Amino acid sequence: GRGSGWPRCGGSRGGAAMDLFGDLRRMNKRQLYYQVLNFAMIVSSALMIWKGLIVVTGSESPIVVVLSGSMEPAFHRGDLLFLTNFHDDPIRAGEIVVFKVEGRDIPIVHRVIKVHEKGNGNIKFLTKGDNNEVDDRGLYKEGQNWLEKKDVVGRARGFLPYVGMVTIIMNDYPKFKYALLAVMGAYVLLKRES
């Protein structure tokens, strides 16, 4: 009787181990789904906040990072700018605008130095970087001497110094971007296992 009991006992032990392994696998799957859902919620929340900011500020890019030193000492590389772009607000000389030029992907942050306002309300203006020797006519598309309201992405309303340095580092050093992504991926995986 005693000898016949061993295989049965061994079998039940093996079954228990299999059940435990199955439970772990199911739990890991559940945890993985939970992590994926968590990540999707974070991304969708960020998109909702961004879209909300676009509606509230009237600007297609409510937040931008200063990428060059052309506006020093007013703004430095890495400063984070908060923009609004209400079309009813008149553009005035001295204010800082973010504008897009045909043929250039990245918007430019410069100061308005001259404004021409016509009787019909049409406005043309000229910009220049505070740290630049000459105005921006060399940056505009060929044959363009003035900017119009349609070229404006937003107008600076506030800023946080150097908060956008991570963006600049990722632009200047692509390897850093991949290292950061690897660290974030490892963190998600380790968090899931623990």
Side-chain angles (χ1 to χ4, degrees), residues 12 28 57 111 122 130-131 143-144 151 155 161 173:
S12 66
N28 278 347
T57 62
R111 194 182 298 277
N122 195 11
D130 290 359
N131 202 19
Q144 184 180 6
D151 301 312
R155 296 182 240 179
Y173 308 102

Side-chain angles (χ1 to χ4, degrees), residues 3-188:
S4 64
W6 282 108
R8 240 192 347 265
C9 186
S12 66
R13 204 179 280 164
M18 288 296 284
D19 285 351
L20 186 67
F21 180 69
D23 284 348
L24 276 171
R25 221 170 55 190
R26 275 194 297 276
M27 202 164 77
N28 278 347
K29 261 187 193 169
R30 204 178 305 128
Q31 279 185 326
L32 179 66
Y33 293 144
Y34 176 73
Q35 287 299 115
V36 168
L37 277 173
N38 230 355
F39 183 71
M41 288 210 24
I42 291 165
V43 170
S44 58
S45 299
L47 284 170
M48 280 163 50
I49 291 166
W50 184 254
K51 290 287 180 188
L53 280 172
I54 288 172
V55 171
V56 170
T57 62
S59 172
E60 64 185 70
S61 295
I63 299 167
V64 295
V65 175
V66 178
L67 296 177
S68 76
S70 64
M71 277 303 292
E72 288 177 5
F75 299 123
H76 296 84
R77 286 187 83 207
D79 287 357
L80 199 71
L81 297 188
F82 301 100
L83 312 178
T84 61
N85 196 22
F86 303 119
H87 290 284
D88 298 340
D89 289 355
I91 289 173
R92 295 287 174 243
E95 77 173 313
I96 294 158
V97 295
V98 178
F99 61 92
K100 254 187 180 172
V101 175
E102 211 175 288
R104 286 178 180 267
D105 295 332
I106 298 169
I108 298 164
V109 181
H110 280 175
R111 194 182 298 277
V112 176
I113 56 167
K114 282 182 187 174
V115 178
H116 285 288
E117 200 166 349
K118 293 184 179 172
N120 63 0
N122 195 11
I123 292 174
K124 291 190 174 191
F125 56 94
L126 181 65
T127 54
K128 176 186 170 294
D130 290 359
N131 202 19
N132 292 351
E133 295 294 319
V134 293
D135 61 45
D136 290 342
R137 285 196 171 117
L139 298 175
Y140 303 160
K141 73 175 180 183
E142 205 175 323
Q144 184 180 6
N145 290 323
W146 302 91
L147 291 176
E148 295 175 39
K149 262 193 172 179
K150 65 177 174 60
D151 301 312
V152 175
V153 173
R155 296 182 240 179
R157 297 296 182 215
F159 79 103
L160 282 174
Y162 304 114
V163 174
M165 276 314 282
V166 176
T167 306
I168 288 179
I169 292 165
M170 286 197 293
N171 272 351
D172 292 354
Y173 308 102
K175 284 181 184 171
F176 177 79
K177 183 170 29 183
Y178 300 124
L180 194 68
L181 285 171
V183 167
M184 285 167 72
Y187 172 74
V188 167

